[in-house]
Amino acid sequence: MRVHVADHPLITHKLTVLRDQSTSSPMFRALVEELMTLLAYEGTRGVRVDEVTVQTPVAIARGVKISDPKPLVVPILRAGLGMLEGMVKLLPTAEVGFLGMARNEETLQPTTYAERLPDDLSDRQCFVLDPMLATGGSLIAAIEFLFDRGAVDVTAICILAAPEGLAAVEAALAGREVTIVLGAVDERLDEHGYIVPGLGDAGDRLYGLV
């Protein structure tokens, strides 16, 4: 498993505003989208491309295009939806699937309540979007779901992670082609499985309480 922490000053600045409990939901949503575009730039460094040539007004130029089959972007509902727009702005040719996962607050284990994904992901690169890598349960389940359908490598893009969650993902997915791209690694998890200092419940801060 490869872990990349994108410690760019702009990312750290936007993350600081996200952490502030006084930041409003509209501002929070805008910042998540902006952060996602910056993180997606790092997360797509390994996207597969084919060489092509194009005719400029002057001469033939060599370049690249995104390979087929196109990458698949998979936000984990509901908080991952807040990251989707920032991702597809950078990678507009990608296809989009969805995984609905919820954490049992007593057991801290994830359950899948919805999915909209191709049945066959053979030879596909997949990008999983989830703001918070806390215990790692939801991310592990989502990545295993994709590999079970034939995905060849998976990149997870998260805003924050806890060391415990990273360790859990690495242990569960040993030997798999997995990359984790993060805005920051925080101190720890608290007794309720929340990241400390974190930024609270990303879904609630994006969309309000339900």
Side-chain angles (χ1 to χ4, degrees):
M1 187 178 82
R2 296 176 296 275
V3 178
H4 176 66
V5 180
D7 56 351
H8 191 283
L10 287 178
I11 291 175
T12 305
H13 163 71
K14 294 177 188 298
L15 183 51
T16 301
V17 182
L18 275 187
R19 293 184 190 276
D20 190 337
Q21 64 180 356
S22 67
T23 298
S24 66
S25 285
M27 177 61 75
F28 194 93
R29 287 194 294 271
L31 284 167
V32 167
E33 182 179 326
E34 293 170 11
L35 260 174
M36 186 57 219
T37 300
L38 294 170
L39 292 173
Y41 179 81
E42 298 293 340
T44 54
R45 286 184 181 274
V47 71
R48 291 184 298 188
V49 296
D50 295 323
E51 292 186 359
V52 296
T53 58
V54 295
Q55 177 69 56
T56 80
V58 179
I60 298 293
R62 293 185 178 89
V64 299
K65 68 172 185 177
I66 303 298
S67 299
D68 289 320
K70 295 294 188 291
L72 181 70
V73 177
V74 184
I76 298 179
L77 305 180
R78 68 181 166 139
L81 278 178
M83 305 171 71
L84 178 59
E85 188 63 25
M87 182 71 178
V88 296
K89 277 185 177 179
L90 197 68
L91 198 62
T93 58
E95 297 180 357
V96 179
F98 297 94
L99 266 177
M101 308 191 82
R103 184 174 72 168
N104 184 306
E105 294 303 329
E106 293 183 0
T107 66
L108 304 183
Q109 296 303 306
T111 57
T112 301
Y113 63 84
E115 65 93 359
R116 184 70 173 175
L117 294 168
D119 291 332
D120 184 6
L121 293 176
S122 299
D123 204 32
R124 296 291 289 269
Q125 282 185 301
C126 298
F127 295 87
V128 179
L129 312 182
D130 195 10
M132 312 294 282
L133 200 178
T135 63
S138 295
L139 192 61
I140 291 166
I143 292 173
E144 288 179 335
F145 198 105
L146 297 174
F147 278 124
D148 287 345
R149 294 202 175 186
V152 294
D153 70 79
V154 177
T155 296
I157 304 178
C158 307
I159 294 173
L160 286 180
E164 297 93 330
L166 283 172
V169 173
E170 184 168 23
L173 300 174
R176 301 282 202 173
E177 192 72 17
V178 176
T179 301
I180 311 290
V181 176
L182 304 166
V185 179
D186 274 8
E187 296 173 10
R188 58 183 174 85
L189 294 178
D190 67 12
E191 63 274 16
H192 303 294
Y194 284 93
I195 299 174
V196 179
L199 48 78
D201 187 297
D204 288 348
R205 296 197 65 188
L206 280 162
Y207 304 117
L209 298 168
V210 294

